[in-house]
Amino acid sequence: RPAAALARAEAQLRQAQASYTKLNDGPRPEDVAAAEAQIRQAQAQLREALGSVTPADLQAAQANLKAAQIALARLVSGEKNADVRAAQAQLQQAQASLDAQRGQLSAGKTNADLQLSQSAESLIQAQTAYSTAKWNWDHVQATGTDPINPTTPDPKNPSKTKANKLNETQKQQYHDTFTQAEAALHNAEMAVEQARVAAANAHQGEISGSQAAEQQLAAAQANLDRITSGIATDQLAAAKAQLASAQAALGKLRGPQRDDQIAVAQAGVDAAQANLVRLKAGPLESELLAAQAQVDSAQADVTTARIDLERAELKAPFAGVVAALDLKLNEYINPGAAIAQIADTSAWQIETTDLTELSAVRVRSGDTAKLTFDAIPGLSLTGKVLRVKGFGENRQGDIVYKVVVQPDSADAQLRWNMTSTVSITGR
């Protein structure tokens, strides 16, 4: 239905206009406030992760480990000989090596993750630059006009504009920009892939390196256990359990789990900050042009729908009332067929063809006439002759002329095609 099609087209136009307005207006203050709140929340989580282990916590764990080592050393002092001292030194060296290895591998993993995050951000920027450069170059190839300033004032007609056509040098500049952006995009993609491989290797290296150092520590501990096997089993087991507990507590404070928590919190801060930067940067020119194109397309649809609706309407050439309607619902009508009769009841005319050629010569426009009606007894109206047709018609051998009489007044009882008697006062 034309009316429904117009309503849909207008709704789509309003939606396209709203989308363009929202895009062109930029971020709302509440959106910026929400993004800033996300940054503060992410920063708070990072501070919490960093503050979850204080220097005092590390000192306490190190003190517990040292105390456990001293207790175990005292326990075996009764059989302390050169082999025991050597085994203890080997154990301490293995523990120090494990701590150092964990620290180095964790730092390497953190650096690799940071490099991956930076490469990903650079890729996003390269993708944005490539998208803009490609859209501009496609526009130049398709239209030959400047995509940033597609029109320019017409010097021959100051009130109008004309297409801002580019010369070959200007076109080459857009092509060079597109080529450079494409190369930068490929380089950024390769950098991300390399950073991803490096991060995976760093994570795997941390696991394998820690496992190797832990195996060395376990071997040193087993060697010490073998040498001190003569010590009381219960006391030795308790001292070893205390030492293992202290080592585990210190490892938890320094281990990769805490590094992962810090890395996740830092990534949350970086993501929130990047979101705020993108939000404040506003829309790209290509996005605005695309939104404007949607508005123009929707406007064209509305115009088409209005034309279709106007074509579907039937309009009378003058004001009046419908006297007859020769149309049924869902009926097919041939083009050009009459479907309604419109009556203008503000003025009536009476037509008669009974005036013969002998009488026609005595009748002039403006002559007085008297009108009576068969269907309305007692109604008598006066009128005047408007015109007498100049061409006579043959009716059964008589030449007759049509005379049009206009009543001086109207009556509400009058209807079309009523029979009237006309008496004309001729000259």
Side-chain angles (χ1 to χ4, degrees), residues 56 61 88 110 134 141 162 193 208 216 218 252 263 287 298 330 397:
Q88 288 177 337
T110 301
K134 184 178 186 305
Q141 288 181 303
K162 64 177 183 179
E193 183 60 27
S208 59
Q216 292 178 356
K252 185 176 181 181
E287 294 175 336
N330 297 327

Side-chain angles (χ1 to χ4, degrees), residues 193-249:
E193 183 60 27
Q194 293 173 355
R196 184 181 293 109
V197 173
N201 292 337
H203 281 262
Q204 184 60 38
E206 182 184 35
I207 296 174
S208 59
S210 297
Q211 289 177 346
E214 290 170 353
Q215 291 174 357
Q216 292 178 356
L217 178 63
Q221 184 66 56
N223 183 49
L224 179 61
D225 293 343
R226 181 181 57 80
I227 295 174
T228 60
S229 59
I231 303 174
T233 305
D234 293 342
Q235 294 178 349
L236 184 61
K240 289 180 179 179
Q242 186 175 4
L243 177 60
S245 177
Q247 289 173 338

Side-chain angles (χ1 to χ4, degrees), residues 4 11 43-44 54 65 101 110 144 150 154 164 199 234 270 272 274 276 282 296 366 391 393 398 401 407 413:
Q43 290 173 339
T54 64
L65 176 60
Q101 187 77 347
T110 301
D154 188 351
N164 189 10
D234 293 342
D270 296 340
L276 179 60
D296 296 340
F391 181 80
E393 298 179 358
D398 292 332
Y401 294 84
Q413 302 177 77

Side-chain angles (χ1 to χ4, degrees), residues 161-213:
T161 60
K162 64 177 183 179
N164 189 10
K165 292 291 185 178
L166 299 177
N167 56 38
E168 293 303 322
T169 300
Q170 293 171 326
K171 291 180 180 179
Q172 184 63 37
Q173 290 175 350
Y174 277 105
H175 178 266
D176 293 343
T177 300
F178 167 68
T179 303
Q180 294 169 2
E182 186 176 28
L185 176 61
H186 292 162
N187 292 336
E189 291 173 342
M190 294 177 59
V192 168
E193 183 60 27
Q194 293 173 355
R196 184 181 293 109
V197 173
N201 292 337
H203 281 262
Q204 184 60 38
E206 182 184 35
I207 296 174
S208 59
S210 297
Q211 289 177 346

Side-chain angles (χ1 to χ4, degrees), residues 58-217:
L58 290 174
Q59 292 176 359
Q62 291 171 341
N64 290 336
L65 176 60
K66 185 175 182 179
Q69 292 172 338
I70 293 174
L72 179 61
R74 287 177 180 176
L75 185 62
V76 299
S77 60
E79 298 185 12
K80 198 169 187 180
N81 51 35
D83 292 337
V84 172
R85 287 194 298 271
Q88 288 177 337
Q90 185 180 9
L91 178 62
Q92 292 175 354
Q93 183 180 1
Q95 181 64 55
S97 177
L98 175 61
D99 293 341
Q101 187 77 347
R102 283 176 174 172
Q104 293 175 357
L105 294 175
S106 177
K109 182 193 69 174
T110 301
N111 291 334
D113 290 339
L114 178 60
Q115 184 64 36
L116 177 58
S117 176
Q118 293 174 348
S119 298
E121 184 65 27
S122 298
L123 177 59
I124 293 175
Q125 296 175 357
Q127 289 172 337
T128 302
Y130 172 77
S131 177
T132 301
K134 184 178 186 305
W135 189 95
N136 288 341
W137 176 235
D138 290 344
H139 179 87
V140 170
Q141 288 181 303
T143 65
T145 61
D146 193 334
I148 299 177
N149 298 302
T151 60
T152 184
D154 188 351
K156 297 181 179 180
N157 193 346
S159 63
K160 296 185 178 180
T161 60
K162 64 177 183 179
N164 189 10
K165 292 291 185 178
L166 299 177
N167 56 38
E168 293 303 322
T169 300
Q170 293 171 326
K171 291 180 180 179
Q172 184 63 37
Q173 290 175 350
Y174 277 105
H175 178 266
D176 293 343
T177 300
F178 167 68
T179 303
Q180 294 169 2
E182 186 176 28
L185 176 61
H186 292 162
N187 292 336
E189 291 173 342
M190 294 177 59
V192 168
E193 183 60 27
Q194 293 173 355
R196 184 181 293 109
V197 173
N201 292 337
H203 281 262
Q204 184 60 38
E206 182 184 35
I207 296 174
S208 59
S210 297
Q211 289 177 346
E214 290 170 353
Q215 291 174 357
Q216 292 178 356
L217 178 63

